[in-house]
Amino acid sequence: MERMPFDGTAFGPRELLVTGIPSAVYHDGGALEFGPDGMLYAGTGDATDGPLAQDPASLAGKILRMTPDGRPPGDNPFPGSLVFSLGHRNVQGLAFDSRDRLWASEYGANAWDELNLVQPGGNHGWPQVEGRGGDGEFVQPAAQWPVEEASPSGIAIVDDVIHMAALRGERLWQIPISGEGVGEPVATLEDAHGRLRTPEPAPDGSLWVTTSNRDGRGEPAAGDDRILRVALS
């Protein structure tokens, strides 16, 4: 993991922050989000080696929490480690709600994609469990979808509604946060713009959403790829 200063016109020298994150052709995660605590959170994938997600000594299949300089904070759940949570297959999106709680979207394998309310030090189950299960041994997803309806990418939270972009599902899911869980998910933009990659709150109160139809898996239309502006009621 690297960082580069930006002065408004150009990037400065690259600075290496974190090494040792396993990588592969697939399942590399990559979501980044600064939390309200000033710490940087990073989602990683299992690098196609599922057991690494359960190995606390590996940075694969984890959500990491670090200082802006890439160091483990003293109050992380595993002393001296960047690991914040484990048991993840491929974390795609990270966002914080109004209660400063961290939510994450995650690619499943063949059955279930997940939306997780992340627990510090929590084990979210992969590869022993995909979706809900485990008889209480693991943190349960707040919501799950068949992979053909989601294959989620980024998430954004506006007024405690989670907006989750779906690649294979070709829709934008809106999921209201309700207490310790979520309400009924509602699909929007369904089959209207192809694969959706990243939602981001815009300064005017709308939502920017990027399409991802030129990634080798979509069917590009004229003008793809695009940034969509979605009005929020």
Side-chain angles (χ1 to χ4, degrees):
M1 182 183 297
E2 297 179 337
R3 68 177 177 184
M4 293 175 286
F6 183 63
D7 64 7
T9 57
F11 287 101
R14 297 160 61 178
E15 180 182 355
L16 186 64
L17 294 183
V18 178
T19 61
I21 301 174
S23 63
V25 175
Y26 303 109
H27 303 189
D28 291 318
L32 296 173
E33 185 76 12
F34 275 100
D37 56 2
M39 299 298 151
L40 177 62
Y41 294 75
T44 71
D46 68 4
T48 68
D49 187 351
L52 290 180
Q54 289 293 321
D55 181 356
S58 173
L59 299 183
K62 308 295 191 298
I63 293 175
L64 311 178
R65 178 177 181 259
M66 66 194 76
T67 69
D69 294 323
R71 298 189 302 270
D75 58 350
N76 263 7
F78 303 102
S81 171
L82 296 176
V83 174
F84 186 70
S85 62
L86 66 156
H88 299 283
R89 181 174 183 266
N90 196 12
V91 177
Q92 291 291 296
L94 299 172
F96 287 86
D97 65 16
S98 65
R99 294 167 59 184
D100 296 344
R101 299 179 302 177
L102 177 62
W103 296 79
S105 57
E106 183 168 343
Y107 260 113
N110 301 309
W112 299 107
D113 294 322
E114 301 177 5
L115 175 69
N116 285 295
L117 176 55
V118 180
Q119 305 299 315
N123 188 330
H124 290 258
W126 178 258
Q128 278 79 356
V129 175
E130 179 183 358
R132 298 188 177 106
D135 296 326
E137 182 180 358
F138 304 115
V139 178
Q140 300 298 300
Q144 63 182 27
W145 293 263
V147 295
E148 63 270 13
E149 294 181 6
S151 295
S153 189
I155 60 174
I157 299 178
V158 180
D159 295 330
D160 277 345
V161 175
I162 300 170
H163 302 268
M164 185 179 81
L167 292 165
R168 183 175 172 185
E170 297 189 355
R171 66 199 76 182
L172 182 71
W173 286 103
Q174 294 182 340
I175 309 123
I177 297 171
S178 178
E180 301 306 309
V182 297
E184 186 68 25
V186 175
T188 65
L189 305 184
E190 194 168 358
D191 299 323
H193 303 284
R195 294 161 59 84
L196 302 181
R197 174 70 66 175
T198 303
E200 184 69 24
D204 64 359
S206 66
L207 196 70
W208 291 327
V209 182
T210 64
T211 67
S212 188
N213 294 311
R214 294 187 177 276
D215 62 356
R217 298 185 178 185
E219 298 179 1
D224 273 334
D225 274 317
R226 294 161 287 163
I227 299 175
L228 311 175
R229 180 183 178 273
V230 178
L232 301 177
S233 58

